[in-house]
């Protein structure tokens, strides 16, 4: 995939912390031991396929502005591979980062398109509705 100008990871390592990576036995919210200070992967050439294949939606979507880079707002926007959900995944240490106005506005806009929108942080999750209301998933 061609890189989009202005959409480099830079010093963001948010996915290497917020997401669970079973191949590395890394739980959600724990910084991967291979993360380098200032960004980047210390085992880049031999990183697992799951890391090799992963790209957050922010990197691949020209419509998501620079302010929405995951480390800047504390949430990764992503499609759930196992369902129709559109998700904002947060670091469990800052579980309500998805309520950041910029992120919340985007989530409500996605809900208005008919998507099922869910914010997640570790084992906690919340549904966000087109009306702007939200509540815990049960
Ligand atoms: S969360 Fe996105 S921008 Fe940040 S390091 Fe991961 S892929 Fe790159
Ligand atoms: S192995 Fe590299 S790319 Fe994968 S989570 Fe760790 S630091 Fe990130």
């Amino acid at each position: 995939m061609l890189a989009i100008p202005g959409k480099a990871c830079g010093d963001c390592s948010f996915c290497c912390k917020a997401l669970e990576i079973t191949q590395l036995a890394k739980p959600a919210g724990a910084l991967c031991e291979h993360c380098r200070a200032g960004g980047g992967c210390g085992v880049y050439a031999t990183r697992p396929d799951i890391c090799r294949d992963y790209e957050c939606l922010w990197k691949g979507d020209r419509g998501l502005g620079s302010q929405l880079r995951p480390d800047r707002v504390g949430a990764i926007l992503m499609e759930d591979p196992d369902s129709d959900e559109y998700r904002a995944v947060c670091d469990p240490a800052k579980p309500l980062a998805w309520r950041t106005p910029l992120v919340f506005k985007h989530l409500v806009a996605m809900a208005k398109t008919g998507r099922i929108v869910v914010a997640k942080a570790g084992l906690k999750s919340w549904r966000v509705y087109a009306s702007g209301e939200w509540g815990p998933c049960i």
Side-chain angles (χ1 to χ4, degrees):
M1 185 185 296
L2 283 177
I4 298 175
K7 292 288 183 138
C9 295
D11 54 4
C12 176
S13 296
F14 199 82
C15 55
C16 305
K17 182 171 193 283
L19 303 184
E20 178 183 16
I21 303 176
T22 50
Q23 288 86 341
L24 294 168
K26 189 196 87 57
L31 184 66
C32 175
E33 62 180 337
H34 303 302
C35 272
R36 291 192 310 205
C41 174
V43 293
Y44 189 77
T46 57
R47 67 199 187 285
D49 287 344
I50 188 81
C51 303
R52 205 173 286 274
D53 296 340
Y54 182 75
E55 188 173 88
C56 71
L57 285 185
W58 175 81
K59 263 191 94 175
D61 187 339
R62 292 177 192 273
L64 298 174
S66 63
Q67 309 97 312
L68 277 168
R69 196 174 82 175
D71 60 322
R72 293 177 179 143
V73 289
I76 298 180
L77 301 169
M78 56 194 292
E79 301 282 351
D80 176 36
D82 301 319
S83 73
D84 289 338
E85 290 178 7
Y86 185 85
R87 289 184 169 177
V89 180
C90 302
D91 184 343
K94 294 183 179 172
L96 294 179
W98 58 274
R99 303 242 21 231
T100 301
L102 201 58
V103 178
F104 190 68
K105 184 179 170 192
H106 175 72
L107 296 180
V108 171
M110 291 304 291
K112 284 180 176 170
T113 69
R115 297 298 305 271
I116 298 169
V117 177
V118 173
K120 289 189 72 74
L123 296 177
K124 295 180 182 171
S125 57
W126 301 263
R127 178 85 185 264
V128 178
Y129 299 95
S131 63
E133 295 175 286
W134 56 274
C137 294
I138 41 177

